Amino acid sequence: MKIKSFTIPKKNKEIFIDPASEDIPGLIDLNKERFKSYEFNINGIPFYQFREQVRSDTLKKAGEYSEKFLSLCSNLNIAGTEKLPCVKDFYSPEKDIIQTGHSPAITHPGVLIKHSLVNSIAKKVNGIGINMVIDNDAGNDNCLNIPDINGSDSSVEKNKYHPGLRNLAFEEIRYADQTQLLAFQESVLKSLHNPDMKKTFEEFMNVVITLSGETLQFSDLFTFARHAFLTRFGISNLEVLVSHISETDSFLNFFLHITANLKCFVDIYNTKLREYRKLKKISSKANPLPDLMEKGFVVEMPFWMWKRNEPRKSLFASIANDNRISIICENKIVEHFDFDGRSRSTKNLQNLEKMKTLISNGIKIRPKAIANTVYSRMFFSDLFIHGIGGAKYDLITDEIIREFFGVEPPEYATISATLYLPYKPFDISDEDINKRKHAVKDMGYNPDRYASRGIMKDAGMISLINEKKDLISRGASDSKEKHLTFDRIKQLNSLMKDKISPLIKKSENEIADLEKKLSYNSIVTNRNYPFCLYPEAMLRKLFKLS
């Protein structure tokens, strides 16, 4: 396994991109050549045919979802969306597909820049830009960090913005009414003092609140509002939900293919995770992802299962018999699938019908992270664009693809960025504070070095200094005398320290002030604030850099 280095940008307006933007279109050509060499089947369907089916099914879902958004914006007269192109104008599975993906949660500008790069590359190659909304991700953190900038007394407040519960997928999160959205907007606006930041946030939330008159579903609200926001910058990629992809025949065939070969997949998956942890010297078995559980003939699948309004649940399978695999959730058998290993088998079609029946009965099956990116990169897009987090775990995905499918994986691109808030940080560092702390500490050991001229003329101070000098120069003849000398010097230092106490107090106050300024710097240079807090002009400049 080759370990690549992905570095989070530290400086303001700094962008990490790999490979260089001018080399990215070349990855598309490279990937298309690799796809031509793939000769394996997916649930009995030849790779090329299956990939065309995935592209067609997914683009259809993207078209339907994007049309829903466009229609809603048109009906609600949402500003800035009047000139959006009709989906049918670029709905073609023959075109190159450039894809990215993220949860519907509000993200920071370093994530949002992926949309800009997808849009830019799609235009360069006359392709289709598409964002996969990972609404099967869990909204465990239902708060956003909001900066309250007030000089050295600045702070960061946590604001709750959705009613999600632990391990509840975004697709299940719904607001009861507009109350929480209005309260969130009001609370954040109280914390914001920069007029341009207030303007961006208020305009964004006004769109969310307008949309909430038609839908209270979290994923729809914040996907539609973010999409409308990006149109201000000429960014208009298609949108598709993982929840919609997961109910297509092509995805169900993918699920069945993994199920039929589950023991092999899980062995490779866990082996590659362990190799990665060893190479990166990671001790936690939960990072970057937990292993899939193996217990006798029962193994964990790389998929979730649940029903409407329920939390996500891990899905397991009994693999005691290679020809008959049972999927299990919460210790209950959900369904049996029969496999005979032959292409175009009647059993494959029967299994697909069983999957469709499960879906129609309200069962939701969704991919976990690696299964999701395998599906996207191998069978849908011509190029996937990751952020740094996704790029790191896709080093593992690459190895899984190599061993499980026996092919060289398609390449992907990576981009991230850092954008500071529109406030100037103080020109100080940790080193400045450490120097002052060292000086205050030294004042306790050598107060005579820091005394002012006035104090140095004090008779008492002169006496203390002379006695200390005499003790140091005289030395001690034995250990007892050494202890006595040490104790006396300590007493002298304490007495002299009292005489320079105003200087010490002043230095301590200066340190406290510097620490407040350093805290202020950490707040205004933090990269993880919601994109909708940043002035539009700042975001526009950042997107142009990509």
Side-chain angles (χ1 to χ4, degrees), residues 84-100:
L84 287 176
C86 294
V87 172
K88 64 183 179 182
D89 291 344
F90 49 90
Y91 176 68
S92 170
E94 290 78 28
K95 289 192 172 185
D96 293 338
I97 297 172
I98 297 85
Q99 181 190 9
T100 191

Side-chain angles (χ1 to χ4, degrees), residues 256 337-338 345-355:
L256 289 167
F337 298 106
D338 296 311
S345 167
T346 303
K347 289 184 178 180
N348 289 346
L349 297 175
Q350 290 172 345
N351 288 337
L352 182 60
E353 288 306 312
K354 287 181 180 181
M355 288 296 300

